[in-house]
Amino acid sequence: MEWRQFELSYSVIIEEERTALKMAERKTVTLRDVAKRAGVSTATVSRVLNASEYVSPEIQDKVRQTIQELGYYQNTVARSLKTNSTMTIGFVTADISNPYMITVAKAVEDLLHDRHYNLLVCSTEGEPARELDYLRLLMGRNIDGLVLNGTGYNEDFVSEISGKIPVILVHRRYPIQDTGGDLIDSDNEDGTYNLTKHLLRFGHRDIFVIRGTPKASTNIERYAGFVRAMKEAGIQVDDKYPFQYQGNFTLQSGYEAVEYMCNLATKPTAILALNNTMALGALECIRAKNMLVPENVSIAAYNNIEFIELMTVRPTIHHINPRDIGLAAGRALLERLDKGDLPNRDIIIEGYLIPGNAVSVPSEVQRNRGYTK
């Protein structure tokens, strides 16, 4: 038994020594090796890798082919020590499963890729603690910049980050330092104001509003637009307004909002969701309860819904092009990386209302007997 254990231990040691020998024999390919094989200077190879200066297409092709043949990998750690740049951008969003945010991230990545920046994407699921963990992790990796679609919390830490690297805020406003970054957003208040006026023009007075994450600026501004439009119609909206539900911009909160709505003594005739994901959750619950849209209840939502043109039930929406948002965020970030300190900017992307088939005049069934078919 002891001899068998010795044999096994000896075999392990021999295998480890063989592996170490192979690693020692493996020659690391350097920038100089690439330059020598391609017949160019190391400076030319560096220019090709970093796209820092013009190199003819023929030379670029030759250098890239040589890099592939030799299996050269740029040492990013050494490069970051030399240039104080990791060529990495953090992208933190509350919900990457939302197709809207996927499109925003893709647009940012498209711009950054041309400048050889890498994008690290983190999804917080709307949890402030998880967001803070990701922000700390990214700062520990020495990112060059941050694109943040935040939870509305962790203001102090975000402000601290903005004093060190450029921070581009997407849809969620945070306090940042005077030259710390920019906000890319839509006109939240006016967009929701117009959606509410649309419902009011159809004769809806009891409008059930599904609110988002309490501290998020988008929730606060969109709700303000709803309140303003309702006030102009002579309807007071305050804490005692019965037709409202405090959600958190998630699918689940949209579903739960409709469950809550169906238990109200007086039934609203229309739903206004303050983002697209909650609207989809509301529609899912409506279907589960065998309700009809717009026969039983009308529905409108802030922000576009992916592939809405293929849906049988199409809510009226306030459309914002997510690619425009992403491109604006990418451009703003690159400007800050190139020029250093710039005054903080609010960059507002215009949206517009797209009527759907999910809004109609309230029926007598809605007015008198609730949501029965």
Side-chain angles (χ1 to χ4, degrees), residues 60-210:
Q60 288 189 45
D61 290 342
K62 189 173 183 180
V63 169
R64 291 195 179 104
Q65 183 178 350
T66 304
I67 287 171
Q68 186 174 357
E69 290 173 354
L70 295 180
Y72 172 76
Y73 295 96
Q74 193 172 16
N75 189 329
T76 55
V77 175
R79 185 185 187 282
S80 66
L81 291 173
K82 183 178 180 180
T83 64
N84 196 32
S85 170
T86 60
M87 300 302 289
T88 304
I89 303 299
F91 185 100
V92 179
T93 178
D95 183 14
I96 197 58
S97 67
N98 187 335
Y100 180 92
M101 290 311 302
I102 293 174
T103 304
V104 171
K106 179 65 169 59
V108 173
E109 185 180 40
D110 287 346
L111 279 181
L112 296 180
H113 178 265
D114 292 340
R115 293 282 298 275
H116 300 277
Y117 284 97
N118 299 305
L119 196 67
L120 287 180
V121 179
C122 305
S123 183
T124 67
E125 304 300 323
E127 299 175 10
R130 187 169 176 173
E131 177 182 75
L132 185 58
D133 287 342
Y134 278 134
L135 292 174
R136 284 173 172 160
L137 173 67
L138 291 169
M139 291 303 291
R141 292 196 174 193
N142 198 29
I143 57 173
D144 294 328
L146 174 68
V147 179
L148 175 63
N149 168 246
T151 62
Y153 295 83
N154 302 312
E155 299 98 326
D156 291 343
F157 194 72
V158 173
S159 179
E160 180 184 334
I161 291 173
S162 70
K164 300 174 181 177
I165 59 172
V167 175
I168 306 301
L169 306 173
V170 174
H171 288 314
R172 308 282 175 85
R173 187 183 297 275
Y174 282 80
I176 54 178
Q177 300 192 22
D178 291 341
T179 58
D182 305 308
L183 171 69
I184 314 298
D185 204 356
S186 58
D187 193 329
N188 294 294
E189 184 172 338
D190 270 6
T192 310
Y193 172 85
N194 291 331
L195 277 173
T196 308
K197 295 287 282 187
H198 177 76
L199 293 172
L200 289 166
R201 281 193 292 271
F202 274 86
H204 295 283
R205 306 279 292 179
D206 297 336
I207 301 174
F208 183 76
V209 59
I210 307 177

Side-chain angles (χ1 to χ4, degrees), residues 22-34 70-75:
K22 289 178 181 178
M23 293 297 292
E25 290 174 347
R26 185 181 298 166
K27 184 179 183 295
T28 301
V29 179
T30 67
L31 198 72
R32 190 181 300 276
D33 296 329
V34 175
L70 295 180
Y72 172 76
Y73 295 96
Q74 193 172 16
N75 189 329

Side-chain angles (χ1 to χ4, degrees), residues 328-347:
R331 291 189 192 104
L333 180 62
L334 289 174
E335 286 174 6
R336 289 190 169 277
L337 290 169
D338 290 341
K339 300 177 183 178
D341 290 349
L342 292 170
N344 293 351
R345 299 168 292 184
D346 283 4
I347 301 171

Side-chain angles (χ1 to χ4, degrees), residues 206-208 243 257-271 286 289-292 294-298 363-373:
D206 297 336
I207 301 174
F208 183 76
F243 307 120
V258 171
E259 287 190 319
Y260 171 85
M261 181 189 75
C262 288
N263 290 321
L264 293 174
T266 301
K267 301 295 189 290
T269 61
I271 296 171
I286 287 170
K289 292 182 177 296
N290 295 315
M291 295 163 57
L292 298 177
E295 291 87 348
N296 296 141
V297 64
S298 294
S363 66
E364 289 304 313
V365 170
Q366 290 173 291
R367 292 182 187 280
N368 300 326
R369 293 188 287 119
Y371 296 137
T372 56
K373 294 176 68 175

